[in-house]
Amino acid sequence: MLKRYSKLTRAEFILYLREPSGFFFTLIFPLLLMMLFGSIWGNEPFPGENFGYIDFAVSAFIGMVILTTGISGLTTSIAAYREKGILRRFKAAPISPLLVLMAELSSLFVITIMGMLLLLAAGVFVFGMHFYGSIPEVVLAFVLSTLSISALGFIPASLAPTARSGMIISNVMYFPMLFLSGAALPREMLPPFLQTFSQILPLTHAIELLQGLWLGGHLWDYPVQITVLCGVMVVGFVIAAKFFRWE
Amino acid sequence: MDNSARMKDLTLPTLGTVVRVEELRKSYGEVCAVDGISLEVSRGEIFGIVGPNGAGKTTTMDCIVSMRRPDSGFISVLGLDPVSQRKTLLEKVGIQQQESELPDRMKVREAMELFSCFYKNSLEATGILSKLGLSDKTESFFSALSGGQKKRLFVALSLVGDPEIVFFDELTSGLDPQSRRSMWDLVRGLRDDGKTVFLSTHYMDEAEKLCDRVAIIDKGRIVALDTPDSLVRSHAFALSVVMGIPDSFIENELESIPGVLEVFREGVKVTARVRDSSAVVEIVKLLVDRKIELGDFHTEKSTLEDVFLKLTGKEIRN
């Protein structure tokens, strides 16, 4: 059981890295953006604060990786599996389809971690990034955010009648979150009404939580964010469990 | 036998029977795909189902191998129930599906390694790949394979778990003649190894040459089931005598010969369908007596295709 699971996860992982667009948008693009903005704003502490732009923004770029694997990566793989009949081949083997799904999620999780580590390495070695939080709390927030956004990705994968419409719905979820929840651009740059609007985007809460913890906050300082993320996770997985079909 | 006796009989395992299907039915909404199919497959035989497109071949196979749940009917494969004992069943059978895919960027070797880890007993990938002529493709991506190579890879995957029964759906469609012949050899080799092969095809020559027994399916029902020889003997004319006769009209005289069942002309080609070879002798005598100038003279044996067309009609199906 464990051997099958790890082999499948490994296979999914390798397949993801071989897909040039997946590789670029999850691992390279966030890094490039961070380097770009970092080279503009540097990491000098803001006046009256002990942190600079990179210390503040690294969480946003981590959020971007979470978004890309959770929404885009998941929908793309599931759409391909369903539409092309790859799962049909797996169904003819003595394994549970759930195992395939678990492996898919796990491999995306590993890729998310890789994306995060790349950002952290660049932050530390290029910009001399600071860290004021507690590692277990940040790890917990990272896992919660990843699960929550992946669960969100399951909603179009479960409810959309065709793979194509699933992709469209996932894009409709992806781009607003990319630009409005602070992932690609700091939310502070947005006009006030968009800042208010961005509160309905789950990724906004993930990024706020990660940012807060990174700069020395504690989990109990963020009840709203944690509630929203847990809520999204539960709703997403309940919808997936109820409506998800392989064919 | 009345129905209750029949159903009672089902509980007794028949010696050597590895697949048993009784009154299988499956509809998709309004469309009835399988409408009461019953069949039995013995250990070590090559059993084929043939039928026009949409006759219910794939659905029948899918139900037997637990890929679909039947609406009603009884199925037992190696004594297992496909619905409740799915996983145990899939350990023991290999399946090559008509329509399936692998991820584009998965390599042949990786696919073999991945699928072999799903089975408790698995065979060595290199041996299977070389049998299927894929030894030099192990590092190729799935998307880089030709249609025939993909098909051979799926056959390889179906064998990786060392199955007792192998199910091949449209085994050789899309293959070139060389690959078809080598696929036939492979299937015969499987039988020689004591495995049972259950295949579907729409090539009649394939069914005739390869299968020990053939079921002809039409509109979700079995219209005939026997060895290819018996099917031809009981359903078709034994021989067709084909004559090139440009300028004599002797159709009526041919028809009056005992043993001649049917005569028809297509241009200069006159075909007489006869029951046995004694009628051929009479035809030759007539031709000699009448000093007919012949452009061509040969006999054709009836084939399974003739039986198939006779039983399923000639109109084109979708």
Side-chain angles (χ1 to χ4, degrees):
Chain A
M1 177 73 188
L2 207 64
K3 192 181 135 219
R4 296 167 179 190
Y5 165 74
S6 63
K7 269 247 180 193
L8 257 174
T9 305
R10 222 182 90 94
E12 300 281 4
F13 175 75
I14 292 172
L15 287 173
Y16 194 91
L17 293 186
R18 281 186 189 149
E19 197 70 53
S21 72
F23 181 82
F24 178 78
F25 280 105
T26 32
L27 298 181
I28 307 299
F29 187 56
L31 190 64
L32 284 180
L33 274 188
M34 189 170 98
M35 301 296 273
L36 176 70
F37 288 128
S39 66
I40 297 171
W41 287 306
N43 198 30
E44 291 307 306
F46 294 123
E49 302 281 1
N50 58 357
F51 61 90
Y53 168 73
I54 291 291
D55 301 331
F56 172 78
V58 68
S59 307
F61 292 114
I62 291 174
M64 193 167 159
V65 178
I66 294 176
L67 175 72
T68 311
T69 52
I71 304 287
S72 236
L74 193 68
T75 333
T76 315
S77 322
I78 289 173
Y81 269 56
R82 235 195 322 221
E83 202 91 317
K84 291 180 63 192
I86 295 171
L87 192 86
R88 230 177 107 72
R89 183 46 256 192
F90 281 112
K91 259 179 89 180
I95 50 159
S96 153
L98 200 64
L99 197 71
V100 182
L101 204 60
M102 289 296 296
E104 182 70 52
L105 272 174
S106 309
S107 72
L108 286 171
F109 191 65
V110 173
I111 286 160
T112 315
I113 291 173
M114 280 174 57
M116 176 188 73
L117 291 177
L118 276 177
L119 291 169
L120 295 186
V124 170
F125 295 116
V126 181
F127 299 104
M129 186 172 66
H130 307 97
F131 177 65
Y132 299 108
S134 99
I135 291 176
E137 285 183 75
V138 171
V139 168
L140 212 63
F142 173 75
V143 173
L144 173 66
S145 302
T146 308
L147 286 178
S148 177
I149 301 300
S150 300
L152 193 65
F154 263 111
I155 296 177
S158 308
L159 296 182
T162 63
R164 221 184 141 70
S165 59
M167 292 293 287
I168 293 169
I169 299 173
S170 91
N171 279 341
V172 167
M173 290 162 77
Y174 180 78
F175 285 104
M177 284 207 267
L178 180 64
F179 292 115
L180 303 182
S181 63
L185 304 163
R187 275 178 62 226
E188 289 67 23
M189 289 172 65
L190 301 173
F193 79 95
L194 279 180
Q195 288 197 32
T196 316
F197 170 78
S198 73
Q199 287 297 324
I200 70 159
L201 302 172
L203 189 67
T204 305
H205 297 277
I207 291 173
E208 279 178 351
L209 177 64
L210 286 168
Q211 260 167 356
L213 297 182
W214 191 270
L215 299 175
H218 292 285
L219 285 169
W220 51 85
D221 300 328
Y222 298 91
V224 176
Q225 285 80 357
I226 291 173
T227 312
V228 169
L229 291 173
C230 288
V232 168
M233 181 170 73
V234 170
V235 169
F237 284 133
V238 165
I239 288 179
K242 210 166 153 53
F243 296 102
F244 189 76
R245 290 288 171 270
W246 279 109
E247 285 176 279
Chain B
M1 222 189 304
D2 68 87
N3 210 39
S4 64
R6 235 179 131 77
M7 293 310 285
K8 206 174 166 191
D9 189 43
L10 288 178
T11 57
L12 300 165
T14 313
L15 197 71
T17 299
V18 288
V19 178
R20 196 174 172 77
V21 177
E22 277 288 329
E23 290 297 310
L24 173 67
R25 273 167 225 282
K26 174 79 189 175
S27 299
Y28 303 114
E30 293 288 294
V31 184
C32 180
V34 176
D35 186 19
I37 278 184
S38 304
L39 54 87
E40 265 184 38
V41 181
S42 310
R43 188 176 292 277
E45 78 172 327
I46 300 174
F47 185 90
I49 49 178
V50 299
N53 292 336
K57 301 188 293 284
T58 299
T59 305
T60 303
M61 229 188 237
D62 277 355
C63 289
I64 295 174
V65 298
S66 77
M67 299 293 287
R68 284 184 199 282
R69 195 182 275 258
D71 295 341
S72 68
F74 171 90
I75 300 176
S76 160
V77 182
L78 297 164
L80 299 166
D81 170 25
V83 176
S84 65
Q85 294 168 297
R86 184 167 182 273
K87 265 199 185 168
T88 323
L89 174 65
L90 289 174
E91 277 281 349
K92 298 180 179 188
V93 304
I95 306 164
Q96 170 259 319
Q97 298 149 314
Q98 194 182 340
E99 277 168 29
S100 58
E101 292 266 329
L102 288 174
D104 282 346
R105 288 186 171 79
M106 187 177 270
K107 291 178 180 175
V108 169
R109 176 183 51 77
E110 292 168 342
M112 292 297 283
E113 280 171 5
L114 180 62
F115 278 85
S116 69
C117 89
F118 297 156
Y119 297 89
K120 288 195 190 88
N121 310 308
S122 58
L123 297 174
E124 241 252 293
T126 28
I128 302 174
L129 289 176
S130 82
K131 256 192 210 171
L132 285 152
L134 289 170
S135 297
D136 55 343
K137 289 285 167 194
T138 50
E139 295 301 313
S140 299
F141 286 142
F142 178 75
S143 57
L145 300 179
S146 71
Q149 289 165 342
K150 284 180 181 171
K151 181 139 256 174
R152 283 184 273 148
L153 174 58
F154 283 119
V155 171
L157 290 176
S158 75
L159 300 176
V160 87
D162 196 15
E164 288 181 46
I165 314 177
V166 205
F167 292 85
F168 295 131
D169 196 1
E170 301 287 359
L171 177 65
T172 62
S173 59
L175 294 185
D176 58 34
Q178 287 84 356
S179 311
R180 275 185 81 199
R181 292 303 185 285
S182 72
M183 207 62 105
W184 291 358
D185 289 341
L186 178 106
V187 170
R188 292 186 186 115
L190 290 170
R191 178 184 54 189
D192 296 343
D193 292 345
K195 301 187 190 306
T196 310
V197 179
F198 188 117
L199 61 87
S200 81
T201 180
H202 57 247
Y203 296 120
M204 293 304 132
D205 60 328
E206 179 165 296
E208 194 165 0
K209 287 184 187 127
L210 192 57
C211 297
D212 297 313
R213 286 191 309 137
V214 174
I216 298 179
I217 297 189
D218 192 26
K219 297 180 182 127
R221 304 187 130 269
I222 291 182
V223 291
L225 195 169
D226 213 327
T227 63
D229 279 351
S230 305
L231 284 174
V232 171
R233 229 179 299 126
S234 53
H235 290 281
F237 312 103
L239 287 170
S240 294
V241 182
V242 181
M243 294 155 277
I245 306 174
D247 38 35
S248 309
F249 294 95
I250 59 159
E251 283 96 314
N252 289 341
E253 282 165 88
L254 283 169
E255 256 170 7
S256 62
I257 293 173
V260 172
L261 303 166
E262 187 189 0
V263 178
F264 56 91
R265 177 186 278 273
E266 293 156 293
V268 298
K269 193 173 101 180
V270 177
T271 305
R273 296 198 150 149
V274 302
R275 193 175 289 129
D276 50 39
S277 48
S278 65
V280 181
V281 177
E282 295 302 318
I283 290 174
V284 173
K285 272 187 193 160
L286 174 76
L287 295 172
V288 172
D289 285 350
R290 301 288 308 277
K291 296 194 172 62
I292 302 285
E293 264 188 46
L294 283 177
D296 174 32
F297 184 90
H298 70 267
T299 59
E300 286 172 0
K301 242 186 92 178
S302 287
T303 62
L304 197 58
E305 183 144 355
D306 299 317
V307 180
F308 180 77
L309 290 173
K310 186 180 161 195
L311 291 174
T312 62
K314 287 183 181 174
E315 77 274 23
I316 293 173
R317 315 285 177 78
N318 287 313

